Amino acid sequence: MPDVQFPRDQGKRMSAGCSPSYDNDKSVLAFRGIPISELKNHGILQALTTEANEWEPRVVSTEVVRAQEEWEAVDTIQPETGSQANSEQPGQLISFSEALQYFQTVDLSSFKKRIQPTIRRTGLAALRHYLFGPPKLHQGLREERDLVLTIAQCGLDSQDPVHGRVLQTIYKKLTGSKFDCALHGDHWEDLGFQGANPATDLRGAGFLALLHLLYLVMDSKTLLMAQEIFRLSRHHIQQFPFCLMSVNITHIAIQALREECLSRECNRQQKVIPVVNSFYAATFLHLAHVWRTQRKTISDSSFVLKDLEVLAKKSPRRLLKTLELYLARVSKGQASLLGAQKCCGPEAPPFKDLTFTGKSDLQPHSS
């Protein structure tokens, strides 16, 4: 923009509100270093193109007109979605019901084709199940069951905003952080994933594993339990990968649902998803209790999970009742999973160098 001549007194008035370089000898206001926004804020563009204090500019230069048009265009520019300014703001937490509603509305037809709602039995196994096995799930509940199994077929998509919010919520609730974190990075190992990308640890349970973790940390009744189990997982001797253990428990819940071990309770409550969620939480609670009281370590993990699966499928109602009593006592401040044991101790190292074998790594049984 060229230098523009002003009367001395008007130049002083304008220079009082901003900081352009001013030459007292020549009465020249140099605008080359002033942003366009400053020009508009102090009314200088209007002074260049309109009459002010009975002073008329001799010539309205094309540069001045172009500058005004440029500023008017800036006014109409809208920030792009996902801009850096927005990304710096902490994302909102997502509730379990909001995440579930997302999966209820999105098209999952390609994933639904892969599910096997029930275990196929033949011969004596089929006869024994028919005579002595649990009842079949009511017809009206089968669509809800299929949704659970379909979500278990979905992987983690880091480009999906809802998937990202689920991960961020789990991280914040477990660590107490107020800020978002990268969706890939070593910090996920601190939560008990085996690598920097949580998606690689969801085999056998899919996105349902993350929904279960979300349920655990976003339900006010189970949050304290989740935090206590997380502290136990970081014990300097009894450490275990928290999130990976959770994935394996989700896998047990999926198998129990497919083998109709939960059908009686689902029929009684006329619901599937809440029963599966509670069964997952109850199984995790039982594992933590066994792990703490029997002083299990990471080398015992595969044996503990095998025994846990047998018990969970055989006595789901017993586990659910234990959870119910435990949560009732916790709400009154009468129970603590860890008791007086200090499980934080020296902080456990990440699990990068540990070999962890869980149920989702094992070959599935054939009935």
Side-chain angles (χ1 to χ4, degrees):
M1 185 180 296
D3 292 344
V4 182
Q5 298 291 338
F6 277 95
R8 186 182 302 272
D9 59 339
Q10 186 170 356
K12 289 179 180 178
R13 287 198 305 274
M14 294 179 180
S15 61
C18 55
S19 57
S21 59
Y22 185 82
D23 188 336
N24 287 325
D25 295 332
K26 298 182 180 180
S27 300
V28 174
L29 190 61
F31 291 94
R32 289 190 179 89
I34 305 177
I36 293 178
S37 59
E38 288 296 323
L39 296 181
K40 183 170 184 180
N41 290 340
H42 298 283
I44 295 176
L45 282 179
Q46 289 85 341
L48 292 175
T49 56
T50 59
E51 184 174 351
N53 295 330
E54 299 181 354
W55 175 79
E56 290 185 12
R58 295 189 184 92
V59 178
V60 179
S61 68
T62 57
E63 288 82 3
V64 170
V65 175
R66 187 180 302 112
Q68 184 176 16
E69 292 173 348
E70 189 176 327
W71 170 249
E72 291 172 353
V74 169
D75 268 348
T76 62
I77 294 177
Q78 300 296 324
E80 295 182 4
T81 303
S83 64
Q84 183 176 0
N86 289 336
S87 64
E88 292 174 353
Q89 299 297 325
Q92 291 185 342
L93 300 181
I94 187 171
S95 66
F96 175 84
S97 58
E98 183 182 352
L100 178 62
Q101 186 178 21
Y102 166 79
F103 282 100
Q104 289 172 329
T105 55
V106 74
D107 181 17
L108 300 176
S109 55
S110 60
F111 298 103
K112 191 173 182 179
K113 295 176 182 178
R114 306 176 190 173
I115 69 171
Q116 293 182 359
T118 58
I119 298 293
R120 296 175 182 175
R121 296 177 175 87
T122 58
L124 290 176
L127 179 61
R128 184 171 61 249
H129 182 77
Y130 176 78
L131 295 175
F132 308 109
K136 290 187 176 296
L137 189 68
H138 290 170
Q139 184 68 36
L141 299 175
R142 293 178 186 178
E143 183 177 350
E144 190 177 352
R145 174 202 61 191
D146 291 352
L147 175 62
V148 173
L149 298 177
T150 301
I151 295 174
Q153 293 292 326
C154 300
L156 170 62
D157 181 2
S158 59
Q159 302 301 316
D160 189 310
V162 173
H163 290 207
R165 286 179 63 197
V166 170
L167 269 183
Q168 298 283 6
T169 300
I170 293 169
Y171 181 84
K172 290 176 183 177
K173 297 296 281 188
L174 287 176
T175 64
S177 173
K178 302 296 183 184
F179 303 99
D180 289 343
C181 62
L183 298 184
H184 294 166
D186 292 343
H187 50 278
W188 293 110
E189 295 176 21
D190 296 333
L191 265 63
F193 288 104
Q194 288 193 113
N197 182 6
T200 60
D201 287 331
L202 302 183
R203 56 190 179 278
F207 203 87
L208 184 64
L210 295 180
L211 280 190
H212 277 168
L213 276 171
L214 183 67
Y215 160 76
L216 204 64
V217 300
M218 289 302 287
D219 191 302
S220 59
K221 296 179 294 184
T222 56
L223 174 59
L224 179 60
M225 184 185 87
Q227 292 171 336
E228 287 196 306
I229 298 176
F230 182 58
R231 290 201 300 274
L232 174 62
S233 75
R234 300 183 66 76
H235 189 273
H236 62 292
I237 296 175
Q238 291 184 268
Q239 59 174 307
F240 60 86
F242 176 83
C243 287
L244 190 58
M245 189 73 82
S246 174
V247 171
N248 280 273
I249 294 173
T250 296
H251 184 265
I252 292 175
I254 293 170
Q255 292 302 103
L257 181 63
R258 293 183 63 230
E259 294 177 24
E260 302 176 289
C261 302
L262 304 180
S263 295
R264 190 185 306 277
E265 190 63 26
C266 291
N267 292 342
R268 189 180 72 82
Q269 296 190 27
Q270 285 298 297
K271 298 173 183 177
V272 174
I273 293 175
V275 170
V276 174
N277 288 348
S278 296
F279 177 80
Y280 155 81
T283 306
F284 211 165
L285 175 65
H286 184 78
L287 178 138
H289 174 72
V290 169
W291 200 273
R292 182 183 70 84
T293 57
Q294 298 182 19
R295 301 192 178 278
K296 300 297 184 182
T297 64
I298 195 70
S299 61
D300 303 312
S301 59
S302 60
F303 304 104
V304 172
L305 284 168
K306 288 177 183 178
D307 293 342
L308 182 66
E309 181 174 19
V310 172
L311 173 66
K313 290 178 179 179
K314 182 180 180 180
S315 307
R317 179 61 184 159
R318 174 185 165 190
L319 290 182
L320 292 172
K321 189 64 177 178
T322 302
L323 175 68
E324 182 182 340
L325 294 174
Y326 170 80
L327 293 179
R329 295 183 63 191
V330 167
S331 65
K332 299 176 182 178
Q334 298 174 348
S336 173
L337 176 66
L338 304 184
Q341 182 181 9
K342 294 181 180 178
C343 290
C344 296
E347 188 171 290
F351 299 95
K352 182 183 295 185
D353 300 324
L354 295 175
T355 300
F356 180 80
T357 303
K359 287 299 301 175
S360 59
D361 299 319
L362 305 175
Q363 295 298 324
H365 300 287
S366 57
S367 298

